Amino acid sequence: MAETFPRRPRAVSVPLQSPGRETAPTSRFRASEILMSKLLSVNASEINECFTKILTIVETVVQSLSLSNRLFAIHFLANISVKFTRKIDTTYDRNDRTLTTQAISFLVDRITLLTNSVLNRNQPNLETEQEIQSLFRTIKLLLYKCPNLGEFALNKLHLFVKCLLHKDNGTFGSKLVVCVSKVVNLCLKNTMKYGNFSSQIQNVARLMINDVCGCGYFDHYVHVIYHLLLLKEIEECNTDHAYVIENEILALEKVKKLMEVKDYWSAYKAGKYACVHGAWFMAAFIFGELLTIVHSDSCHQWLTSLTLFAYSEMKILYCSLPKERSTLLSWLVGNRSSSLPIIGVLGEISKTADHETENLDVVRKILQVSKEMLSANDVTPSGRHYFQIQFLALRANVIEIAVHVFNEISKGQNSHFQRGASLVQPLTQLSTRLMKLAHGYDLVATSFMNMDPASTTIVSAHALSCSVLAFITGFSLFFQFENVDLQSDLHAMLINDLAGRLWCIDRETSKELLLLLKTCIGQPKSCFGQLSKTQRLENTYEVTSIIKICRFAVERVVDIQNAAKRMHENDDEIQSQIVNDGLELQLDVLKKWLNVSFMTPTYFFSLRPCVSCQLFAMNRDSQNGAKISVPPGHQLHLDLCLQLNDVLPESRARITKLYCILKCKISYRQPSQSQDVKSQTKMKIHDWADDTVLELNDKLIKHVNKCEKDDDGQITESVVCFRPNEKGQGFSTCMLNVSMFPLGSYEIKWRAGCLDIDGCYWSLNSSSSGPVFTVQKPC
């Protein structure tokens, strides 16, 4: 390979810290652990009395002049309240004051006290602001651990916001209500996730939104995010499209004012917020306006890509509900949105909802251009746009397959039985592609170690949607043509894949799928195995919407299965009706899927280089940078170095083992032995629904889970384990059996991964192509 093989670092001695020189935070932490263990040993009957005493002590400690002491007391109070509450197994209802509700009340009261102290002094206090932000973070942590307290926290926060309304608090007040909005957002998500989203919660949230947006003391950015707070919750629970659209119009008006006062950074943040919450009309407007004022090529490229991406999702939204969303489109046109000229050349929005194929094909083209804007000069996995490129590529691929499915359905509708038979093979192929795209999303979810959990859930929701589409595309004609090119292995995989994703969030639908597996495939039980972390989904907006589609699809497939059982072999009319029912089901599922407004992962706006790795290889017959060679009939012995790139120290410290799979086939032969070595190491961006990428990643995961590898005369494969050092390097050796390979040069394809201290597996992006070796006769 062209790169110089890294030298193995010399062993260095690291002096151990003297036990007597512990830092204060470490000492305090250990003391708290000891105290916590003693407190948790008290009887359940004594817990309330004990907690009251702790609360009194904390009230005293928070008067300390030391910020670290105050924060330590607050965190200790939060932790002990959760542990005590779980011990006595008390849940919150409107007549019960649990320990955690007391802790939340204490935290909000403390925030109110500190806020008043800042406002009364009428001057900023950095330390007090830090303490207030820490208190809000502590409330969020409490709500993560006790998600059933969302309604209680909403009411407390609404009272706090009311206290701010009548005070001219300027920037400080705006900062506070932004902090409040993040907690409110979590409360709403929790209540929706656990099925507690009631009209009372909705009313409190609406009142808070009206109070904040009606107050002139808060800036326009605050108004924007509050107008959009209830966007998905209202749409999901009540389908109150009028309220959602009204608030998005009001948010657009506020964004317009941000642009007028040239607060471009706040406008960009509002655009990001709009993408994350699925407000695509607003996102397209913001990025289109910002595009006209940037000067650097990189910013122009980024904003053009964002504008196109937002427009593609906006187009899908409009076509799914054109009547309801025509107001939003009219607003953009009436305000001469700068996004319209940019996106107009790529296709106008059809005014009817009867042109799914045409509209979706335009969407696919727009997504492709958006991706190409980023990938033109940034194709390496360590590049700052690598996640965005992969995300856009997968979305474009899904839309492309949807276009093909619509085309196939249009060919087969209202046709005779034999015409339907001709659709089995193309629909089976499309189903296979959709399942690969689901696995491609899985790969994205495990390839970015610093991705936040909410972003991982959104990526996994996309994977679930692909799995649903793959299932219905594979089964819409399955029962009518069981003997026509039947691929039972594929259909078993479709069921297992979908059942595995649903198992933790919709057990009943999973059981229906497993019954279907038994009755129509003949497998007595599921083989979806251990669930990955990307398949343990939560009831967010997208996931809930897709689960409804899943239930609908599975119920209808079972209905078709029952109808097919009653069908007589020579009853052409009934046979044709069942074919049309299957195609109609496919169409219904696709249209319901298009109505889901997918949000964008927050991680999409993370522009720092992502973690990647390089593989360096040499053998005993080569030197650094020289070609690797092996005589005919011999095995290839390689010395390997796996180097992590762009990994943060805290992430590197969590990695316990590195793994790499190397694979070579005779078909990987290079066209010429004189190929330039530099061209061999040039990195090309991978399609993450590509067979080779998915296969290598799947085999590596199986190896980590103690499964076997393949090896024969045509294919050679090896999995290597490394122990990373403090520089993120791992060294090892491997043997590839290439004794049956004829003379010539061959590329070794590879994929790497790692295990962290929690036992979680992560895939590692490859920032170099595979090493090339030559089978040649000795000189």
Side-chain angles (χ1 to χ4, degrees):
M1 297 181 68
E3 296 94 340
T4 301
F5 193 86
R7 294 181 179 179
R8 187 185 299 267
R10 295 179 180 177
V12 293
S13 59
V14 180
L16 296 174
Q17 186 174 349
S18 169
R21 301 190 60 174
E22 259 182 358
T23 61
T26 304
S27 177
R28 189 186 295 124
F29 173 77
R30 292 185 177 177
S32 71
E33 289 294 300
I34 295 170
L35 178 59
M36 189 84 70
S37 64
K38 289 184 176 180
L39 289 172
L40 291 175
S41 65
V42 302
N43 296 328
S45 59
E46 300 173 341
I47 283 180
N48 283 311
E49 182 183 354
C50 182
F51 185 76
T52 301
K53 292 178 179 178
I54 293 171
L55 198 58
T56 302
I57 294 171
V58 170
E59 287 174 344
T60 302
V61 176
V62 294
Q63 307 303 319
S64 167
L65 296 178
S66 168
L67 176 62
S68 62
N69 285 343
R70 298 198 300 270
L71 295 183
F72 171 77
I74 290 296
H75 293 154
F76 183 85
L77 174 68
N79 286 333
I80 198 66
S81 70
V82 171
K83 293 181 184 297
F84 272 173
T85 299
R86 288 176 177 172
K87 183 171 181 179
I88 60 178
D89 195 26
T90 305
T91 56
Y92 166 73
D93 60 35
R94 291 181 183 85
N95 300 314
D96 181 34
R97 281 181 57 82
T98 67
L99 307 184
T100 43
T101 60
Q102 291 182 61
I104 289 175
S105 294
F106 181 87
L107 295 172
V108 176
D109 290 345
R110 178 68 181 166
I111 290 172
T112 304
L113 179 67
L114 293 173
T115 298
N116 289 332
S117 70
V118 172
L119 295 177
N120 291 337
R121 288 196 300 267
N122 198 26
Q123 61 182 8
N125 185 304
L126 182 59
E127 185 174 286
T128 303
E129 289 186 25
Q130 288 176 342
E131 183 173 353
I132 290 173
Q133 289 176 356
S134 181
L135 288 165
F136 276 118
R137 286 194 295 269
T138 305
I139 293 174
K140 287 181 68 177
L141 288 173
L142 272 174
L143 291 172
Y144 274 119
K145 294 177 180 178
C146 302
N148 59 320
L149 299 180
E151 182 180 349
F152 178 85
L154 271 177
N155 283 299
K156 292 293 293 184
L157 290 170
H158 188 205
L159 292 174
F160 170 71
V161 167
K162 280 187 171 182
C163 294
L164 293 174
L165 296 178
H166 308 294
K167 300 177 181 179
D168 185 356
N169 43 55
T171 304
F172 179 62
S174 292
K175 286 181 180 178
L176 289 176
V177 289
V178 168
C179 291
V180 170
S181 73
K182 294 176 182 178
V183 183
V184 171
N185 192 36
L186 176 60
C187 292
L188 296 174
K189 285 185 176 181
N190 282 346
T191 54
M192 185 174 174
K193 174 180 174 181
Y194 294 98
N196 300 324
F197 193 83
S198 63
S199 58
Q200 183 170 350
I201 291 173
Q202 179 181 308
N203 289 336
V204 173
R206 284 193 180 191
L207 285 171
M208 191 183 301
I209 291 169
N210 291 336
D211 287 343
V212 170
C213 295
C215 180
Y217 295 147
F218 304 132
D219 61 36
H220 299 314
Y221 172 70
V222 168
H223 292 167
V224 169
I225 61 176
Y226 270 83
H227 276 306
L228 298 183
L229 257 183
L230 277 173
L231 191 67
K232 290 304 169 195
E233 286 73 15
I234 293 291
E235 198 166 36
E236 168 63 21
C237 296
N238 295 330
T239 62
D240 190 350
H241 298 297
Y243 180 82
V244 171
I245 290 169
E246 174 192 351
N247 274 275
E248 193 163 350
I249 291 288
L250 292 171
L252 279 164
E253 294 289 351
K254 296 295 183 180
V255 167
K256 185 179 175 183
K257 291 182 179 179
L258 281 176
M259 297 302 300
E260 288 172 354
V261 299
K262 299 182 179 181
D263 190 356
Y264 300 133
W265 176 240
S266 293
Y268 177 79
K269 288 194 296 180
K272 173 183 172 181
Y273 193 89
C275 285
V276 170
H277 285 76
W280 294 109
F281 285 81
M282 191 172 91
F285 172 75
I286 291 171
F287 297 133
E289 295 299 305
L290 291 174
L291 190 56
T292 63
I293 56 96
V294 296
H295 300 291
S296 74
D297 290 341
S298 60
C299 288
H300 193 274
Q301 186 183 48
W302 172 237
L303 287 170
T304 301
S305 178
L306 286 176
T307 304
L308 294 172
F309 175 38
Y311 176 70
S312 69
E313 297 294 341
M314 169 184 130
K315 187 177 178 75
I316 294 174
L317 274 185
Y318 179 85
C319 294
S320 61
L321 288 170
K323 182 179 179 181
E324 290 84 347
R325 295 190 170 107
S326 59
T327 307
L328 288 165
L329 184 61
S330 298
W331 191 94
L332 292 181
V333 174
N335 285 273
R336 297 186 176 89
S337 170
S338 298
S339 62
L340 294 177
I342 298 161
I343 58 190
V345 297
L346 294 165
E348 295 297 327
I349 294 180
S350 172
K351 298 300 181 183
T352 68
D354 300 326
H355 298 87
E356 288 93 349
T357 303
E358 178 185 346
N359 285 320
L360 287 178
D361 194 49
V362 172
V363 167
R364 177 192 62 79
K365 292 176 181 176
I366 295 171
L367 286 167
Q368 189 68 22
V369 175
S370 178
K371 185 200 78 171
E372 289 170 356
M373 290 296 299
L374 300 179
S375 61
N377 299 309
D378 190 6
V379 298
T380 65
S382 60
R384 60 179 182 164
H385 291 142
Y386 195 63
F387 173 85
Q388 294 81 357
I389 292 167
Q390 295 293 356
F391 188 83
L392 292 171
L394 287 168
R395 184 68 168 154
N397 285 338
V398 177
I399 298 296
E400 179 185 7
I401 296 174
V403 170
H404 289 313
V405 174
F406 273 119
N407 283 333
E408 295 300 332
I409 293 173
S410 65
K411 294 176 187 176
Q413 280 186 311
N414 300 317
S415 61
H416 55 79
F417 182 74
Q418 292 304 320
R419 179 63 180 141
S422 67
L423 299 179
V424 174
Q425 185 175 4
L427 287 177
T428 300
Q429 292 172 344
L430 292 170
S431 176
T432 302
R433 289 179 61 190
L434 283 164
M435 188 168 64
K436 288 179 181 177
L437 288 174
H439 296 163
Y441 277 115
D442 290 339
L443 184 55
V444 169
T446 57
S447 294
F448 299 89
M449 298 180 67
N450 56 339
M451 193 190 304
D452 57 287
S455 293
T456 302
T457 297
I458 291 175
V459 174
S460 297
H462 280 275
L464 175 63
S465 75
C466 288
S467 185
V468 176
L469 293 181
F471 167 78
I472 201 64
T473 305
F475 275 90
S476 59
L477 298 178
F478 176 83
F479 303 105
Q480 302 88 310
F481 305 101
E482 291 187 63
N483 298 318
V484 180
D485 193 27
L486 178 63
Q487 299 183 26
S488 58
D489 288 345
L490 168 65
H491 290 85
M493 285 191 288
L494 293 174
I495 292 176
N496 276 304
D497 188 75
L498 184 55
R501 295 177 193 278
L502 292 173
W503 189 252
C504 293
I505 51 175
D506 189 353
R507 191 65 57 90
E508 290 304 312
T509 304
S510 289
K511 290 178 179 177
E512 286 290 325
L513 284 165
L514 298 182
L515 183 60
L516 192 66
L517 181 70
K518 181 178 180 181
T519 57
C520 68
I521 307 296
Q523 288 189 5
K525 61 181 181 179
S526 166
C527 58
F528 54 75
Q530 186 178 7
L531 300 178
S532 71
K533 59 180 173 294
T534 60
Q535 292 176 323
R536 296 190 183 101
L537 293 168
E538 298 178 346
N539 287 323
T540 58
Y541 163 77
E542 296 97 333
V543 174
T544 304
S545 300
I546 298 164
I547 288 174
K548 290 180 180 178
I549 298 174
C550 285
R551 292 170 183 164
F552 170 78
V554 173
E555 288 172 5
R556 290 284 299 276
V557 164
V558 172
D559 289 342
I560 291 175
Q561 181 191 26
N562 293 332
K565 288 178 181 177
R566 297 189 297 268
M567 181 178 65
H568 297 292
E569 186 175 347
N570 297 321
D571 197 336
D572 292 341
E573 184 178 346
I574 295 180
Q575 287 177 337
S576 297
Q577 182 59 49
I578 293 177
V579 169
N580 287 324
D581 287 346
L583 294 175
E584 188 67 30
L585 171 58
Q586 174 84 69
L587 187 62
D588 288 345
V589 170
L590 267 176
K591 288 184 175 180
K592 289 178 183 293
W593 172 73
L594 288 173
N595 283 333
V596 178
S597 174
F598 282 97
M599 304 180 210
T600 302
T602 305
Y603 192 76
F604 193 89
F605 292 86
S606 175
L607 300 182
R608 71 175 305 276
C610 62
V611 178
S612 63
C613 63
Q614 290 176 277
L615 180 67
F616 300 90
M618 62 181 292
N619 73 338
R620 293 165 184 169
D621 297 329
S622 65
Q623 297 177 352
N624 288 347
K627 290 183 178 179
I628 301 171
S629 63
V630 62
H634 286 69
Q635 296 194 44
L636 177 62
H637 180 281
L638 292 176
D639 293 321
L640 303 172
C641 172
L642 195 65
Q643 171 71 61
L644 293 175
N645 299 322
D646 298 306
V647 59
L648 296 174
E650 56 267 30
S651 297
R652 188 172 64 237
R654 289 180 55 82
I655 297 174
T656 58
K657 288 183 182 179
L658 297 171
Y659 292 90
C660 181
I661 182 169
L662 297 92
K663 182 174 184 176
C664 190
K665 298 180 181 180
I666 290 180
S667 59
Y668 292 172
R669 186 168 179 170
Q670 299 294 294
S672 172
Q673 293 188 24
S674 61
Q675 186 178 7
D676 182 13
V677 175
K678 289 185 178 180
S679 68
Q680 297 170 6
T681 59
K682 184 178 180 180
M683 186 62 204
K684 294 181 180 179
I685 195 164
H686 290 295
D687 177 359
W688 280 8
D690 175 76
D691 287 345
T692 303
V693 174
L694 293 176
E695 178 194 3
L696 289 177
N697 188 68
D698 184 56
K699 285 192 172 186
L700 189 55
I701 293 173
K702 286 180 178 178
H703 174 84
V704 173
N705 292 327
K706 311 302 181 187
C707 294
E708 296 297 323
K709 62 185 179 65
D710 297 326
D711 214 1
D712 61 32
Q714 301 291 312
I715 304 172
T716 181
E717 187 179 292
S718 181
V719 178
V720 187
C721 180
F722 306 83
R723 291 285 182 180
N725 59 26
E726 68 280 359
K727 293 185 177 180
Q729 295 173 335
F731 295 87
S732 190
T733 62
C734 80
M735 191 78 72
L736 292 174
N737 184 7
V738 296
S739 58
M740 301 295 290
F741 282 38
L743 299 178
S745 295
Y746 303 87
E747 180 186 3
I748 301 172
K749 297 189 177 180
W750 65 284
R751 186 83 194 171
C754 65
L755 283 179
D756 65 16
I757 57 177
D758 297 321
C760 291
Y761 175 83
W762 296 93
S763 181
L764 294 170
N765 299 316
S766 310
S767 60
S768 64
S769 59
V772 174
F773 70 94
T774 303
V775 179
Q776 64 182 20
K777 293 180 180 179
C779 299

